[in-house]
Structure formats: C-alpha cells, structure tokens
Amino acid sequence: MAEYRAPVTDMTFILQHLVGMDKIAELPGYEEASADMVAAILEEASKLSGEVISPLNIVGDQNGVALDEKGQVVTPAGFKEAYQQYAEGGWGSLPFDPEFGGQGMPQVLAANVMEMWQSANISWGLCPLLSQGAIEALESSGSDELKQRYIPKLVSGEWTATMNLTEPQAGSDLAALRSRAEPEGDHYRIKGQKIFITWGEHDMAENIIHLVLARLPNAPAGVRGISLFIVPKFLVNEDGSLGGLNDCGAVSLEHKLGIHASPTCVMSFGDNAGAIGYLVGEEHKGLACMFTMMNNARLGVGLQGVAVSERAYQLAVDYARDRVQSPAPGCKESAAIIRHPDVRRMLMTMRTLTEAGRALAYAAYGSLDHQLRGEDSALHQARVSLLTPIVKGWCTETAQEVTGLGVQVHGGMGFIEETGAAQHYRDARILTIYEGTSGIQAQDLVGRKTLFDKGEAMDALLAEMLDCVEVAQQGSDRLQAISGSLLSAIEVLGQTQRYLLKASAADINLAGSLAFNYMMLAGTVCGGWQMLKAAQAAENLLSTEDADVNFCHAKLISAEFYMDQILPRYLGYAGAAVSGSESIMQLDEDLF
Amino acid sequence: MAEYRAPVTDMTFILQHLVGMDKIAELPGYEEASADMVAAILEEASKLSGEVISPLNIVGDQNGVALDEKGQVVTPAGFKEAYQQYAEGGWGSLPFDPEFGGQGMPQVLAANVMEMWQSANISWGLCPLLSQGAIEALESSGSDELKQRYIPKLVSGEWTATMNLTEPQAGSDLAALRSRAEPEGDHYRIKGQKIFITWGEHDMAENIIHLVLARLPNAPAGVRGISLFIVPKFLVNEDGSLGGLNDCGAVSLEHKLGIHASPTCVMSFGDNAGAIGYLVGEEHKGLACMFTMMNNARLGVGLQGVAVSERAYQLAVDYARDRVQSPAPGCKESAAIIRHPDVRRMLMTMRTLTEAGRALAYAAYGSLDHQLRGEDSALHQARVSLLTPIVKGWCTETAQEVTGLGVQVHGGMGFIEETGAAQHYRDARILTIYEGTSGIQAQDLVGRKTLFDKGEAMDALLAEMLDCVEVAQQGSDRLQAISGSLLSAIEVLGQTQRYLLKASAADINLAGSLAFNYMMLAGTVCGGWQMLKAAQAAENLLSTEDADVNFCHAKLISAEFYMDQILPRYLGYAGAAVSGSESIMQLDEDLF
C-alpha cells in the first residue's frame, strides 16, 4: 500500500489564490510567513507525514493500544519515536506566540500542516491536535503564572494535553456535569469520572496536562456553574521540574469502531485525596474558556474530515489505476477500472468533495488569522463563527461518503481489512460525533450563528458569494456555465435562511427540525463557492506564463464536476428544510 | 441490548394491503397460503429469529470464525444449534416444490421470513440465503438425476450450498474466469481457485454443495464459455449416502470489516486429481444458470439491506427512549433524546427508508409469484427484472445511511463496539458490494432493463405509479398532499429515462455516467410510490371498524415524512443524472 502523499500543490494553490496568503503575511506578527518559508514548511511537513507518520497508520489500527496493570497506556511501536521527531522538529510550535517558544506562524499555515498529520494517521494526529487546543485555551484564559508554567512545554511538545468534558450522563449536555472541585489553599481538589478522553494516558510524552471541567461547591446549576481546571498528570514544581504523580489516571480504554491507536480513556480524578488542580479563568466561567478550545478543535475535526477524505481518495485512485476489469465503453480490451464511467464518478466525487472541503476549511482558518491579527476583527470573527459549524458538520459528513466510496471503488477487496480502505471508513465514523455531533453543529449554525444575529453573518456570506458569481458571469463561457447553477443554489440558501428566520418564531420545533438540512445545504453551497473561486483562479493562472497547466485544467474540471454532480443536492436539502417540523414531530413517542 | 423484534404488523400490512396476498394465495400451487397459515408462519419465524438467532449476532461478531489445521471452519458457539433448529423446523423448505420436500409457499412469504433471519443475524442468515439460490438454480437448470440427488437434502437443510464465481482476476468481470473443468466419464474434474466464497466451509451441516463456474477445454473465451458445475464437499453415492471427501476445500478465511461470523473462504478446487463435478445445464451456458441464482440472491441482498436497517432502527429507538440529555424545545427539564427534533429526524429517516424499502422489496417478490404461477407471466417477469437492480441497489445504499444514522443516534456510545450499533454499520457495508456492486446494479438497470427494451418496463411502472397518484388526488386532503410532490417526482423520473434513451445513443459514456443517479432516483421515487400506497391503505383501514388505529396513523405520518424529508432527494439525483458525462470523463487519467 502506498503511503500518503501530501497534496502540496493544491494546498499552495488554495493558500496563494483563494485564501490570500500574501495579505495574511502582511498582518502584524506574521512577517516570517514569506512564500519561501511557507513552501519550506509544507515541504518538510510533507516528508514527515508521508515517510514517518503514515507508515504507522495501519500498524496502529491492527495493534491498537493497551492499558497495562500499572494503568499506563502502551502505544503501538513507532508512535513514540514519531512523536519525538514531531516535537524535536518544532512542529507543535508553529502557530503560537514566540513569547512561549512558538514560531508565530499563521493559523491557516498551521492548518495545512495539521491536515497532513491527520491524513497520515488520525489516531496519532489527535494527540497534537488536542495539545494545540489546550494551548489556545490557556493563552486566552490562563493566569500569567499558569501560562508561564505550562504553555512552553506544551508548545515544545514535551508535554501533551487533553480535554475532559464528557461524563456518562453528560455528553452533548454539559449542564449535567457532576465532577466536583473543592478549594484547598492555592489549588483545588478535583473528584469525578470522565469518559471518552482522547489520549488521556500514554507513553509518548513526559507529562500530560488535563483540562477538566468541574463544579465548585457553591456553583449554580447548569452550564453557568462549571469551572475549568488544569490537572497535570505529574505535578509541576515551581522551577518547572516534575513532582509527584497526581491523583488521577486512566482506568480503562474503550473498544472502538475506529481510531484504534488513539487511546480513548475512562479517566478517574480523585480516587484518593482528590487530584490537585488549578483554576483557569474565572470561577463558573469554565465553559467560555473551554469553548476557545472547542472551537479550535471543531475546525480541527472538520480538517480531519478533509484529511481522511484525501487519504481515502489517494488509496482508491491507486487501486483504480491498477485493477483491470471489463472493457470500458466503446473498447474491446479489459481496462483499468479508472476508465469506467461509474468508477470515475466515484473518484471525482471523492476528489471534489475533498478539494471543496479543504478550500472551505482554509477559508475559515484564513478568516481566523484576520480576526486575530487584522483590522476588521469583528467582521472576521463573525465569519469564523459562522463557518466553524459548517466546516465541522459538512466536511465530516462528506468524509463518511468519501471514505464509503473509497471502500466501494475497491469492490470486494474494500471489505477486506488488509486493503486499508475499511480503516479510513471506520476511522472517519467518529468525526461526525466527537467535538459536538453533526446535530449539535447544525443547531449551533441555526441558533447562535443565524437566529441570534438575525442572519447578519449569513447575509454577509451570501452577499460575498453573489459578488463572486457576478464576476464570473462577466467571464469566459466556461466560468459563466460553472457559476450559473451556483447562482440558483445561493438564492435557495438565502430563501431557506429567511424561512428559518421567519417561521421559527411560531414553531419551537422548527429550528431543530431543519437544522441538519440547513447545515448540509450551506456546506454544499459554500463548497460550490470555493470551487468557483478555484476555477476563476485557475483560469487567471492559465493566462500567465509559468502556470502549472495540468493542475489548472484539472481544477476547472473539478469545478465543473462539482456543479454537475454535487451541487444539485442543494435542492434535496432545501426541499427537506422548508418542509417544516410537523411530520418530524408528529409520531407519538410510543409508536416508534 | 434488546433482541430483534420482528415487525410482523408491518409485514402483514404490506402482504395484505400492498402486495395483495389474497390474490397470490389464489395462484395455482399456493392454496396452502391462507391468511391463518401466513399468520402462523410469521409468528413462529418471529420467535425463532428473536429468541434463538438474534442473541448470536453480537457473539458471532466478537468471536468470528476460525479455520483449524484440518481445513475445517469452526463457527461461533450456538450457530450450529440454531441452524439445526432452523432445519428441523422446515424453514429452508418454505418456497420449494413439494416434489422435493418443499412446502410450496409463495416467494413473498418466504421473503418475509428471510427478512427476519437477516435482521436477526446477517452472518448466520447468509448460509440459508445461499442454499435457497442454489436450489432455484438446480430446479431450473439441473438434470432430473441431479435434482433428485441434491435438491431434497438442500430443501431439508441437511446440506447447504455455495456460489463459486469470483476469482482474483475476475470480480465484476466474469469473462475473465480461469477455473477449468476436464471431462472424465460421467463427471468432470474441476481445478481452480475461487475467492470470497461465503460459507464455503463450515461445521453446521453434513455436506456442502458448491456451485462452481469453470471453463471446459473447448470453451470459447468470454462469458459464453463458462459452464456451471455441482461440486459436493463429500461425494454423494447413488443411494444418497455420503461418500469420500472431494478434492476441494477452504485454504484461508478473509479478515473482514463486518459479517465476522460468516466464513468468507478462499476455496481451492483440485489440488490433487481434480475435484469431481457434475455439469448443470448445458455446456458453456453456465452463466445463464447462475443468473437464476444471482437474481434470487440480488433480491435477497436487497432484503438484507431492509433487514439490517430494521435492526439498526430498533436499537436506535431503544437508546433514544432511554438516553436523557438536555431539555427538548420549549421545556425546562432534560428529556429523552427521542423528543429532540434532530434525533426524531434521524429516527424517522431510518424508519421510513426501512418501511419503503421493505414494501418495494415485497412488491418485487409479489411480482415474482405472479411470474412463476400467474397468467401474465411475461408482464410480471419484466417487472421483477426491472425492480431487482432497484431493490438491490437502492435498499443496500439506504442501508448504509440507516445504519450510519443508527451509530449517530447513539452519539459517542455508537462508536463503542459493545453498543452494537457499529456492528450493523460494519455488516451493512458489504451489501452494496456483493452479488454485484451498486455500480453493476445501476448498469443493469440502465442497460438490460431500460435501454434494451427501449424503456417499456419502466414506462409500465411509471404508468402504474401515475395511476396510483391519480386515485390519491381524488382522495382526502391528506392523500392529496402526500401524492402531490410524488407526482412531480414521477414525472422527473420519466424525463430522466427519456433523456437516457435519447442521449445515450450519441455518447457511449452516458449510460455508465448517469447509471448510479438514475438508480437512486428510481429507488427514491418507487419508495415514495410504496409509501403512498401504504397511506392509501391506512386511510381505507381507518374507516373500518377493526382497524389498528395506532398503526394506521403511524403509517400516514411515515408517508408524510417520506414525502417531506426523503423524496426531495430526487431533484439532486435527477440533476446529476442529466448533467451528462463530460465532467465525469474529462480529467486525464494521469491527473487524478
């Protein structure tokens, strides 16, 4: 099986021509992100991901992780060494503040690199993904002392971090959290059990920093009574050296459908005197702090959707080129199945959903860079907020389809585990669930991101998409054709949004009923917008001298395929969305 | 975890009111199939499936099957005993000729019962499913001697059967078969290797009858040079007693994504002197004989799609009733998630895709009964031929969605194997692949079933669906609403069919390019037709005295949900289908 080959050309094209990397490099603090530097970083990350991390993917799936009798998680052979290479290469420090040892690179560039780790090996890649979110949460909410003590070692990769939210009775519903924190001197004693803690325990780094949600004794009920704590696996002395083991650890590992090499731990805090923890941010405001981490993680999971789609696509293309079966239409000799129309339809579906998702995810990260460093911060923040549930929701739902097609292209061999296609399918299945299910993303999009601002951020997005179409309509015949159907789709998205704004006031079930279809509609349309932008850029490039002609032609065909074969789904999503809530809610609960 | 509960009420409703079981019971030879008999059979099958076969499902998944050093397959604990109960209960004999010990029951009734075995346990259920197909192939093509010697023991369930088509280089492309058969006296010596042979070896029955495709020495190349042979595991003496072991057996088992308890064997024939085999039907005409078996098996696999969907639905409903998480809209107290709109959307999607698929599959089996025993045989044969790829293709594609939603409803727990939802998702994944991939079904629908007869069978179906809508348009407001959107969908299916008939002549790639979307379009519309028929029947029943009011109300809501939330997809499929082949075929093979 071939290893992962990072799509550096597509990444660079998106950075340069869709995201506007030159503008981002001009933002204060990003001066180091020159085109040469970006190219060098992508090149090096491409090597590490393809040569070191990717070969561990199938091994990790087959061998999984184990919890030994001392409560230590043993990772698959090679995982620790790969992590050390990652840490020593400074890869964990890319987007962080130089004050803490970071390289101060743009978020969108860090996202490119993060996509590579996730394509190479989702199980392995979850560990650095979680550390990055924790660093952001600490940067934005931690006291100076906590920052100084914890961030540098996380940035350097010497330590890793986890997110401890879920409890058995509190999954999507964080209001139901029961873990307790009792004040004791300058710290707290944490007691409680957390489940589904990714990389909660392992042997790849010398310390693990748990970010834990818990309630103080005087906490109000609900989500406004939750506080956030740092609970290190090994206590950290004032001089930064490691002290004793804290009163916490993994008590069991889950037996999962996929991501077998990522330890999913049941964590117990405070079986004895209580785990020592330190408050992050204000009392009872832990959820706001955690949301920083979660929003980062949500974009990251959307990116995982793109990443596993890319990997599944590469594997399927390799197989379709090699596998000879039946003559293609109009031929007499048996041909590689890549020549058969239905196989091409599958491969092109995989390809274009991946390209569109990648461009959309990077658009969100690009806006994040403008939000963090630019002038129109509020405007960009609204865009990032709006795109986050779309990227998370749509790119992970499409990852189910793409990895499923990856199995399908392989025919019977796809169902055999040795082929590797099934692993991507199994691994991808978690993506629509963790960091907020697709339903939670959809409700975020409908509620906080559309109803709350009366559709303002969505209106701005619709206007920008329409502008893009208008320009294309003045362009070549080809661009006019590509943008023609997108225009109708954008209009229908706008109509659906107005239906939501109008009808949800009179029907408490409407928002929840249409949320998923609204999200998928928005994703499909936004994906089309990105493909149109890509087609425009490709055509522009073709008129220059040093264009990569093959790449630009392929991009135009991708855009055409997307509009022909993917975009028409918008009618199905919109039709379902505007059908209201009655037939969804009407059946008596006992009659299911 | 609750065991499978057979949906006897829905099955009976479909038999009585959609399929027209009373008419079928009047066909010659089906006199025994009285309403009481049907009820008794469903009741007994429901017990065996729920109490005996269903509890083995998760055990089989976890323990799998093993090949011991003697080349024997060891099935999971309980499998053999369950199979003995099945055989002793005469379940394998339901639809077969009393001449061979069968009960002469209608195919559609046998299909109801078959659905139950598959819902209870797909891995286990594959074994009887394959025997049924083999019996049909022997009935239609075998010599009298072969029939007398082999069929009674297969009908009684004392022996089981397999289908040996695939070779490493010959998957979808049977023309590439290389297995050889050399004549020797009254038999042949078979040599070759076959892969993906389901239940190719096991310990549940005393003999296994392999149906094997191979080439005679003088065979022309391609599919017209393939002959069909019976190759018994143990040779059968003239008096019917078992003789020596034949020169064939399993050499390895595949490590698969799902159906772990179903042994998928690499079979070797003729490692020594050659396996002794007997010709079935004429020389070089094996494919035609095998197609009898394959068409039966294709409908059966479509039914497996319905079956695993039903099982996943039941599991998800149980969980959604128990799992309390967050308040439902307009409430303050946390509620069972079945009250949340997005969870209901998922459950109703699962429910209605299953109901629609079941009704459509039974419609095909009902037509099969009329074809086999009725007067308008050719008409019904055309209908069965047309519906077979739709049932196989659409019901197995929707099974991916339904079992995926089954995982999703469980949230994080769905990703944990112990929950059981993931098993249905993994098991279902084979259904769009074996017995002809969805791409093969789609090409069958487009080629042999639409282009070949110039759309005649599809025209007849369209006309019948339009008649059904017309009647509904004269009915209650509710039926008018339900049938309104279906009318447009039927018209669009007709337009797409005409586009195919017209445009494919000038574009050799068109048929293959639109095939999948045409199939999904046809399935979605046919599913809507069945839901409309169900709504009409439910409304009629509600005006009678002894109606099951709850069931009828639920059926009307299902129909409304289907039209609101599922049917709108037809626009997406049709839009993709009529987009032609250009953007599918245009990308240079090297640029993927």
Side-chain angles (χ1 to χ4, degrees):
Chain A
M1 195 182 315
E3 296 305 337
Y4 166 66
R5 305 172 296 277
V8 174
T9 311
D10 195 42
M11 289 174 165
T12 307
F13 170 81
I14 294 173
L15 284 181
Q16 288 183 353
H17 303 291
L18 306 194
V19 173
M21 192 62 195
D22 50 343
K23 290 271 181 297
I24 289 174
E26 288 169 8
L27 294 171
Y30 288 161
E31 295 81 5
E32 298 289 316
S34 66
D36 287 350
M37 176 60 90
V38 168
I41 287 173
L42 294 181
E43 181 62 26
E44 285 306 308
S46 146
K47 283 185 201 158
L48 183 63
S49 59
E51 294 167 13
V52 178
I53 305 171
S54 165
L56 302 174
N57 193 47
I58 203 160
V59 184
D61 182 61
Q62 287 168 351
N63 298 336
V65 284
L67 189 69
D68 69 15
E69 64 280 8
K70 294 181 206 147
Q72 286 179 340
V73 168
V74 183
T75 53
F79 267 51
K80 185 174 178 174
E81 293 72 17
Y83 183 78
Q84 278 167 347
Q85 263 191 268
Y86 165 91
E88 283 162 14
W91 291 107
S93 70
L94 265 188
F96 297 109
D97 195 330
E99 185 193 340
F100 301 115
Q103 298 182 55
M105 285 290 158
Q107 297 285 337
V108 68
L109 178 62
N112 279 250
V113 172
M114 183 58 77
E115 184 195 320
M116 294 189 199
W117 315 142
Q118 307 302 330
S119 278
N121 193 326
I122 288 190
S123 285
W124 183 93
L126 275 164
C127 189
L129 183 63
L130 282 160
S131 293
Q132 301 236 328
I135 295 167
E136 293 199 4
L138 288 176
E139 276 192 340
S140 71
S141 307
S143 67
D144 284 344
E145 197 195 331
L146 286 181
K147 285 183 188 176
Q148 294 300 338
R149 191 169 298 184
Y150 291 97
I151 296 182
K153 297 276 192 176
L154 288 169
V155 165
S156 71
E158 287 162 272
W159 301 348
T160 71
T162 70
M163 253 169 111
N164 291 252
L165 288 78
T166 305
E167 298 175 9
Q169 79 294 347
S172 297
D173 182 13
L174 291 174
L177 278 186
R178 289 186 199 137
S179 290
R180 315 286 306 175
E182 298 271 350
E184 182 186 82
D186 69 340
H187 58 259
Y188 296 79
R189 290 282 182 174
I190 316 288
K191 295 195 175 196
Q193 197 183 62
K194 297 285 181 178
I195 61 169
F196 298 157
I197 307 309
T198 301
W199 286 97
E201 174 56 39
H202 62 84
D203 56 8
M204 302 206 302
E206 63 180 18
N207 203 6
I208 303 171
I209 308 306
H210 305 296
L211 291 186
V212 182
L213 290 182
R215 290 184 189 284
L216 291 165
N218 61 343
V223 291
R224 289 177 192 177
I226 299 173
S227 304
L228 179 64
F229 301 89
I230 271 194
V231 181
K233 172 181 170 184
F234 288 101
L235 295 169
V236 181
N237 298 322
E238 283 200 17
D239 64 357
S241 64
L242 294 186
L245 202 57
N246 207 345
D247 181 13
C248 63
V251 293
S252 64
L253 300 183
E254 303 293 354
H255 175 221
K256 308 187 301 292
L257 172 60
I259 53 169
H260 290 164
S262 164
T264 302
C265 305
V266 175
M267 296 293 295
S268 189
F269 292 89
D271 280 350
N272 300 305
I276 291 176
Y278 306 93
L279 185 69
V280 180
E282 291 177 51
E283 291 187 350
H284 314 320
K285 300 206 170 155
L287 209 59
C289 308
M290 197 56 121
F291 258 111
T292 308
M293 184 163 184
M294 276 168 66
N295 276 324
N296 176 298
R298 283 175 175 184
L299 279 181
V301 173
L303 206 54
Q304 288 187 312
V306 174
V308 72
S309 296
E310 172 69 35
R311 187 77 189 265
Y313 169 72
Q314 293 187 7
L315 192 66
V317 168
D318 288 349
Y319 185 80
R321 280 212 182 96
D322 286 349
R323 173 74 171 167
V324 171
Q325 201 78 169
S326 302
C331 303
K332 293 201 167 163
E333 295 293 308
S334 291
I337 59 172
I338 198 170
R339 298 195 186 158
H340 292 278
D342 189 61
V343 173
R344 289 181 80 99
R345 179 193 60 78
M346 292 194 275
L347 293 175
M348 288 297 293
T349 300
M350 298 175 76
R351 176 187 178 93
T352 58
L353 284 173
T354 306
E355 287 181 1
R358 175 179 296 128
L360 187 62
Y362 291 177
Y365 279 105
S367 290
L368 183 59
D369 280 315
H370 284 284
Q371 172 197 331
L372 295 173
R373 305 292 176 103
E375 287 176 357
D376 296 325
S377 183
L379 206 74
H380 289 290
Q381 184 168 11
R383 176 61 57 85
V384 177
S385 292
L386 180 68
L387 288 184
T388 296
I390 301 175
V391 168
K392 203 288 187 182
W394 185 66
C395 295
T396 63
E397 288 289 340
T398 58
Q400 311 307 311
E401 177 180 356
V402 172
T403 55
L405 288 173
V407 172
Q408 191 71 21
V409 167
H410 285 82
M413 289 306 297
F415 200 64
I416 308 299
E417 287 286 1
E418 284 81 349
T419 309
Q423 185 194 344
H424 301 314
Y425 185 64
R426 289 187 285 98
D427 285 353
R429 194 64 197 81
I430 191 60
L431 303 179
T432 61
I433 297 173
Y434 65 16
E435 302 306 334
T437 62
S438 292
I440 295 288
Q441 303 306 320
Q443 281 161 58
D444 180 46
L445 179 65
V446 159
R448 275 182 292 255
K449 311 296 170 66
T450 304
L451 293 174
F452 186 74
D453 76 349
K454 299 192 175 63
E456 195 182 318
M458 181 60 93
D459 284 339
L461 178 63
L462 289 165
E464 187 174 337
M465 293 196 286
L466 285 173
D467 285 348
C468 181
V469 168
E470 199 169 304
V471 171
Q473 291 282 314
Q474 322 280 314
S476 67
D477 290 353
R478 208 164 171 185
L479 286 180
Q480 286 180 36
I482 290 171
S483 58
S485 36
L486 185 60
L487 179 59
S488 317
I490 296 168
E491 285 166 353
V492 166
L493 174 58
Q495 288 158 12
T496 310
Q497 175 227 31
R498 289 189 289 282
Y499 169 79
L500 163 66
L501 289 168
K502 192 173 167 190
S504 63
D507 176 358
I508 50 167
N509 289 311
L510 185 76
S513 293
L514 65 64
F516 180 81
N517 281 297
Y518 178 65
M519 177 183 82
M520 294 302 287
L521 170 61
T524 306
V525 174
C526 288
W529 165 51
Q530 291 298 317
M531 292 309 277
L532 172 59
K533 287 182 69 169
Q536 289 171 310
E539 254 206 10
N540 284 340
L541 278 174
L542 280 173
S543 65
T544 63
E545 270 189 11
D546 55 349
D548 180 342
V549 175
N550 279 340
F551 177 86
C552 293
H553 277 306
K555 194 55 99 174
L556 280 158
I557 295 168
S558 282
E560 286 166 339
F561 179 91
Y562 189 96
M563 302 308 171
D564 284 350
Q565 297 291 323
I566 308 292
L567 189 69
R569 301 174 183 184
Y570 83 86
L571 290 164
Y573 297 129
V578 302
S579 291
S581 69
E582 196 178 339
S583 62
I584 293 174
M585 301 306 296
Q586 206 180 351
L587 187 64
D588 191 288
E589 204 173 305
D590 297 329
L591 298 183
F592 271 86
Chain B
M1 193 183 318
E3 296 307 336
Y4 166 66
R5 305 173 295 277
V8 174
T9 311
D10 196 40
M11 289 173 164
T12 308
F13 170 82
I14 295 173
L15 283 182
Q16 288 182 354
H17 303 292
L18 305 194
V19 172
M21 192 63 197
D22 50 344
K23 289 272 180 298
I24 288 174
E26 288 169 8
L27 294 171
Y30 288 161
E31 295 81 4
E32 298 288 317
S34 67
D36 287 350
M37 177 59 91
V38 167
I41 287 173
L42 294 182
E43 180 62 26
E44 286 306 309
S46 146
K47 282 185 201 157
L48 183 63
S49 59
E51 294 167 15
V52 177
I53 304 171
S54 165
L56 302 174
N57 192 47
I58 203 161
V59 184
D61 182 60
Q62 287 168 351
N63 298 336
V65 282
L67 189 69
D68 69 15
E69 64 279 7
K70 293 181 209 148
Q72 285 179 340
V73 168
V74 184
T75 54
F79 268 51
K80 184 174 179 173
E81 293 73 17
Y83 183 78
Q84 278 168 348
Q85 264 191 266
Y86 165 91
E88 283 161 14
W91 291 107
S93 69
L94 266 187
F96 298 109
D97 195 330
E99 185 192 341
F100 302 115
Q103 298 182 53
M105 285 290 158
Q107 297 285 337
V108 68
L109 178 62
N112 279 249
V113 172
M114 183 57 78
E115 184 193 321
M116 295 189 198
W117 315 141
Q118 306 303 330
S119 278
N121 194 327
I122 288 190
S123 285
W124 183 93
L126 275 165
C127 189
L129 183 63
L130 281 161
S131 293
Q132 301 235 328
I135 295 167
E136 294 200 3
L138 288 177
E139 277 192 340
S140 70
S141 308
S143 66
D144 284 344
E145 195 196 332
L146 285 181
K147 285 184 188 175
Q148 293 300 340
R149 191 170 296 184
Y150 291 96
I151 295 182
K153 297 274 190 176
L154 289 168
V155 165
S156 71
E158 287 162 272
W159 301 347
T160 70
T162 70
M163 249 168 115
N164 292 251
L165 288 78
T166 305
E167 298 175 10
Q169 79 293 348
S172 298
D173 181 13
L174 292 174
L177 278 186
R178 290 187 200 137
S179 290
R180 314 288 305 176
E182 299 270 351
E184 182 186 84
D186 69 340
H187 58 259
Y188 296 79
R189 289 283 183 174
I190 316 286
K191 295 196 175 196
Q193 197 184 62
K194 296 284 181 177
I195 62 169
F196 298 158
I197 307 310
T198 302
W199 286 97
E201 173 57 39
H202 62 84
D203 56 7
M204 302 207 303
E206 63 181 19
N207 202 5
I208 303 172
I209 308 307
H210 305 295
L211 290 186
V212 183
L213 290 182
R215 290 184 188 282
L216 291 165
N218 61 343
V223 293
R224 290 177 191 174
I226 299 173
S227 305
L228 179 63
F229 301 88
I230 272 194
V231 181
K233 174 180 169 183
F234 288 102
L235 296 169
V236 181
N237 299 322
E238 282 199 18
D239 63 357
S241 63
L242 295 187
L245 203 55
N246 207 343
D247 181 13
C248 63
V251 292
S252 64
L253 301 182
E254 303 292 353
H255 175 222
K256 307 187 301 292
L257 172 60
I259 53 168
H260 290 165
S262 163
T264 302
C265 305
V266 175
M267 297 292 293
S268 189
F269 292 90
D271 281 350
N272 300 305
I276 291 176
Y278 306 93
L279 185 69
V280 179
E282 291 177 50
E283 291 188 351
H284 314 320
K285 298 205 171 157
L287 209 60
C289 308
M290 197 57 120
F291 257 111
T292 308
M293 184 163 184
M294 277 168 65
N295 277 325
N296 175 299
R298 283 176 176 184
L299 279 180
V301 173
L303 206 56
Q304 287 186 313
V306 174
V308 72
S309 295
E310 172 69 35
R311 185 78 188 265
Y313 169 72
Q314 292 186 7
L315 191 67
V317 168
D318 288 350
Y319 185 80
R321 280 210 183 97
D322 286 350
R323 173 72 172 168
V324 172
Q325 201 77 169
S326 303
C331 304
K332 292 200 168 166
E333 296 292 310
S334 291
I337 60 172
I338 198 171
R339 297 197 186 157
H340 291 277
D342 189 60
V343 173
R344 280 183 159 259
R345 178 193 61 76
M346 291 193 276
L347 293 175
M348 289 295 293
T349 301
M350 296 174 77
R351 176 187 177 91
T352 56
L353 284 173
T354 306
E355 287 181 2
R358 175 179 296 127
L360 188 62
Y362 291 177
Y365 280 105
S367 290
L368 183 59
D369 280 315
H370 284 284
Q371 174 197 331
L372 295 174
R373 307 290 176 104
E375 288 176 357
D376 296 325
S377 183
L379 206 76
H380 289 290
Q381 184 169 10
R383 176 61 57 85
V384 176
S385 292
L386 180 68
L387 289 184
T388 297
I390 301 175
V391 168
K392 202 290 184 180
W394 186 65
C395 295
T396 63
E397 288 290 338
T398 60
Q400 311 307 311
E401 177 179 357
V402 172
T403 56
L405 287 171
V407 172
Q408 192 71 21
V409 167
H410 285 82
M413 290 306 297
F415 200 64
I416 307 299
E417 287 285 2
E418 284 82 347
T419 308
Q423 186 194 345
H424 301 315
Y425 185 64
R426 289 186 285 99
D427 285 354
R429 194 64 195 81
I430 191 59
L431 303 180
T432 60
I433 297 172
Y434 65 16
E435 300 307 332
T437 62
S438 293
I440 295 288
Q441 303 305 320
Q443 281 161 59
D444 180 46
L445 179 64
V446 160
R448 274 182 293 255
K449 311 298 168 66
T450 304
L451 293 174
F452 185 74
D453 75 350
K454 299 192 175 64
E456 193 182 320
M458 180 60 92
D459 284 338
L461 179 62
L462 288 165
E464 186 173 338
M465 294 197 284
L466 285 172
D467 285 349
C468 180
V469 168
E470 200 170 303
V471 172
Q473 291 282 314
Q474 322 278 316
S476 68
D477 290 353
R478 210 165 170 185
L479 286 180
Q480 286 180 36
I482 289 172
S483 58
S485 35
L486 185 60
L487 178 58
S488 316
I490 296 168
E491 285 165 353
V492 166
L493 174 58
Q495 288 157 13
T496 310
Q497 176 227 30
R498 289 189 289 281
Y499 169 79
L500 163 67
L501 289 169
K502 192 172 166 190
S504 62
D507 176 359
I508 51 166
N509 289 310
L510 186 77
S513 293
L514 64 64
F516 181 82
N517 281 296
Y518 178 65
M519 177 183 82
M520 294 302 288
L521 170 61
T524 305
V525 174
C526 289
W529 164 50
Q530 291 298 317
M531 293 309 278
L532 172 59
K533 287 182 69 169
Q536 288 172 310
E539 254 206 11
N540 284 341
L541 278 175
L542 279 173
S543 65
T544 63
E545 271 189 11
D546 54 350
D548 180 342
V549 175
N550 279 340
F551 177 86
C552 292
H553 277 306
K555 194 54 99 174
L556 280 157
I557 295 168
S558 282
E560 286 165 340
F561 179 91
Y562 189 95
M563 303 306 170
D564 284 351
Q565 297 290 323
I566 308 292
L567 189 69
R569 300 173 184 185
Y570 83 86
L571 290 164
Y573 297 129
V578 302
S579 291
S581 69
E582 194 179 341
S583 62
I584 293 174
M585 300 306 296
Q586 205 180 354
L587 186 64
D588 191 288
E589 205 174 304
D590 297 330
L591 298 182
F592 272 85

